[in-house]
Amino acid sequence: MKILDRYVAKEIVQPYVAAAIFLSQLLLATQLLAEAEVLFGSGVVAADAFVVALALTPHLLGFVLPIAFLLGTVIGLGRLAEDREVIAISAAGVSPLRLYRMPLVVAAVTSVLALALAQWVEPAAFVLVRERVTKIVKRKLTNDVRAGVFYDQIPGYTLYAERVEGGRWSNVLISDQTNPSGPVLALAHGGALDPSGLSGEMKLLLDRGELHSGSLASRDYLTAGFEHAEAVIRTGDAINIGLSRSARGAVFADLPARARAERARGDFEEARRTEALYHRRLAQALSVLPFALLAVPLGSSRRVGRGRALVLMILAVVAHYLLLRAGEVLAQRGVLPAAVSLQLPTVTLSLVALGLALVQARRRVLGTVG
């Protein structure tokens, strides 16, 4: 690698890495604070929040890396332009096209990294998030039941215990409304929640009580006594957790096979959605390539300046998102294949960047730009 290439790479990579760290921490803090009730409530230790934050980072980097790259490239080349180093490079007989080399190299590395994160790292991280959040929810449900207080945080259930000692309940009332046509009321001398169930399930254990089912006004009202009873409670929706929604996304590598299976069973609408999701992830990873082409003429022009270049950068990011969203809608409705419609933002921004490069080159030839 030539000295000039190393120099340009250094000017780009430093603000790029700083922007990636800052933006990922900002998004991560927003996610964690939005779910503070879950991650920082009773029964939650610091290790839980740390593991969830660490596991969510690869997912967030998929959104952060393209923006951080564009920001770092504009800032790095803008510094060279403001210090007239771009003029010095041209005066030394070096073609301005050399400025594109390292941004494109860094962009290619970023694309590969983003695809690798989506292909291998994110699936494992999502599994870790789901497991940890499930444990947190179970622990909170076990700890949050208070003596003499009606607890209704489990959808469809209301729990009441006269006394709570060491996780055991005394004189328990439980209303089960999960089946509106057949509500169940349980009264028991003792009870507890067993968090050792599979995945998002917990066992409700009751001792010495009776069950009441149906309405008093109906003829099918039933009652039965029991010594010991168990019921399975699904806790997946017990608390509205944005973190678990993020971790619920399909594994990137499995999306093409899923789309083929959906088409095979005739569910073409869902197949188009799956294909759109797959190609959107590809488009996000590849977006750094047009951003590289766009950042060079914006960042290296003293006429534009770093302030205007940053504003234009933000507009480029917004335009890319809008085009990406439009392409996704076209793919989901079957107007265009997902492989075509979701690469339109990349093609469009690349053409705009090449146009700017030609205009800038023409001005340099005419001597109107320093």
Side-chain angles (χ1 to χ4, degrees), residues 205-287:
L205 310 176
L206 298 176
D207 299 324
R208 293 181 298 122
E210 56 185 33
L211 296 175
H212 299 262
S213 178
S215 172
L216 291 174
S218 64
R219 296 182 179 179
D220 58 350
Y221 183 82
L222 301 175
T223 182
F226 61 84
E227 282 296 318
H228 302 283
E230 292 186 5
V232 175
I233 298 177
R234 296 195 60 83
T235 62
D237 299 325
I239 300 175
N240 184 22
I241 304 172
L243 298 175
S244 61
R245 285 198 301 270
S246 296
R248 202 164 64 207
V251 176
F252 175 73
D254 297 340
L255 291 176
R258 176 192 289 190
R260 288 193 295 269
E262 291 165 347
R263 285 191 178 277
R265 64 171 181 263
D267 193 351
F268 298 104
E269 182 177 354
E270 193 61 31
R272 289 195 297 268
R273 292 176 185 269
T274 304
E275 290 170 351
L277 177 60
Y278 176 75
H279 287 282
R280 175 168 181 152
R281 297 295 301 276
L282 282 177
Q284 286 177 339
L286 296 176
S287 64

Side-chain angles (χ1 to χ4, degrees), residues 105-128:
V105 169
V106 177
V109 172
T110 300
S111 292
V112 172
L113 176 60
L115 290 174
L117 288 174
Q119 184 87 7
W120 294 293
V121 181
E122 279 189 31
F126 281 164
V127 171
L128 182 59

Side-chain angles (χ1 to χ4, degrees), residues 58-93:
H59 175 66
L60 297 178
L61 284 176
F63 302 97
V64 164
L65 288 179
I67 300 175
F69 168 78
L70 182 54
L71 182 63
T73 305
V74 169
I75 291 176
L77 295 180
R79 209 278 305 166
L80 295 179
E82 287 190 357
D83 291 349
R84 300 181 182 273
E85 294 185 36
V86 174
I87 299 176
I89 292 172
S90 299

